[in-house]
Amino acid sequence: MKPIQSVMITGANAGLGREAARQLAMRNGIEKIYLACRNQEKADAAKAALEAETGKRIFEVIPMDVSSPMSVRAAVGKMAAPVDALILNAGGTGGKTPHALTQVGVTHIFAANVLGHVVLVDELLERQLITSTVLYAGSEAARGIPKMGVAKPDMRTSSTEEFVSIADGSKFGPKADPLDIYGTIKLTAAMWMGAMARQHPHIRFVTMSPGGTTGTNGMDDLPFLKKVFFKYVGGTLMPLFGMMHSVETGAKRYVEGLLNDRFESGHFYASREGSPTGPVVDQAKIDASLANTQFQDNAFQAVRRFAA
């Protein structure tokens, strides 16, 4: 594996992205960290705080809204030097209008979690601006977490058309719960990553779930009662039952997935079966369909329809 000296992190101004930036800055050999964020003011504040906390002046803000392919392409167009590694961390539950369609025909929740990252990787590869590793923030929701009431995604055929229906929201309808959609979207991305690993063998493509993590901002746009439960009540109680862990622990998964070559390209790593915390394992050992290359290629073909 090529030594990693520079890293770009999407959604890096808060939560897991910011903590991953802090942890990477403390690793020997990391010389540059790009904070790709949609809000300039929050990004600048995060940069200043990270410099104060780490004593390093290696952070640079890149304005980028991953829910907008135009914003992503504009940001990459301004890059003067390649980056060794990329952490695709930005996402969430799609804002106030998760089911609304963007100009390219995907839902807001799909755009934020998947499409913008697909465009980002494509642009970096086309311009030869990525040299080593792409890490996508997966989720145990992609194979279900029964203990937390998160059902396994209802995939009937895993055809290209079914993955298209996930992207444009027609699989779910306009009143579906964003939390129910989230796992299916994360599954789509994990399958896309598997296809990318086979198509670009010179780059590592690792899907790594940060696990059930307290204090993240991904739930901020949920309905009030659900937000209160997942961010505050659940964030206090669930760690006591081993159902959540700290942001530091979640971000450490990113860092290890990025820097430790025992995590193989094309594989999806997350917690053991039935849990959102604890040691990570290859998820194909839990659900063999995750390693199905035809399903992976179908997901790839589906997202290509919107990323062109």
Side-chain angles (χ1 to χ4, degrees), residues 248-269:
E248 290 80 8
T249 298
K252 186 178 180 182
R253 287 189 180 189
Y254 287 171
V255 174
E256 290 301 315
L258 204 67
L259 302 181
N260 189 332
D261 60 7
R262 82 174 179 86
F263 296 106
E264 299 179 64
S265 187
H267 292 243
F268 170 23
Y269 297 93

Side-chain angles (χ1 to χ4, degrees), residues 65-188:
D65 180 357
V66 296
S67 67
S68 165
M70 183 181 299
S71 173
V72 171
R73 291 188 175 103
V76 174
K78 295 177 182 178
M79 290 177 61
V83 63
D84 294 323
L86 181 61
I87 297 179
L88 305 175
N89 163 73
T93 53
K96 302 295 184 182
T97 55
H99 308 298
L101 296 181
T102 67
Q103 290 183 339
V104 298
V106 301
T107 60
H108 287 180
I109 188 172
F110 191 88
N113 286 280
V114 183
L115 187 62
H117 287 140
V118 170
V119 172
L120 175 57
V121 173
D122 284 352
E123 290 290 312
L124 292 175
L125 286 169
E126 182 178 346
R127 298 168 183 262
Q128 298 184 354
L129 291 173
I130 179 74
T131 68
S132 176
T133 302
V134 175
L135 184 142
Y136 179 79
S139 172
E140 284 80 3
R143 45 85 171 158
I145 318 171
K147 288 182 179 179
M148 296 181 72
V150 180
K152 180 179 179 179
D154 178 21
M155 298 298 293
R156 300 181 181 181
T157 63
S158 294
S159 64
T160 298
E161 291 307 318
E162 185 168 25
F163 283 114
V164 167
S165 74
I166 293 168
D168 67 17
S170 59
K171 180 178 175 66
F172 312 105
K175 296 184 179 180
D177 188 328
L179 286 179
D180 294 336
I181 297 172
Y182 183 77
T184 314
I185 286 174
K186 286 293 187 179
L187 171 62
T188 304

Side-chain angles (χ1 to χ4, degrees), residues 190-206 264-267 296 300:
M191 302 303 268
W192 163 73
M193 286 283 287
M196 291 294 285
R198 288 182 284 108
Q199 293 185 28
H200 304 280
H202 65 295
I203 302 291
R204 285 173 71 231
F205 286 85
V206 176
E264 299 179 64
S265 187
H267 292 243
Q296 292 174 355
F300 173 84

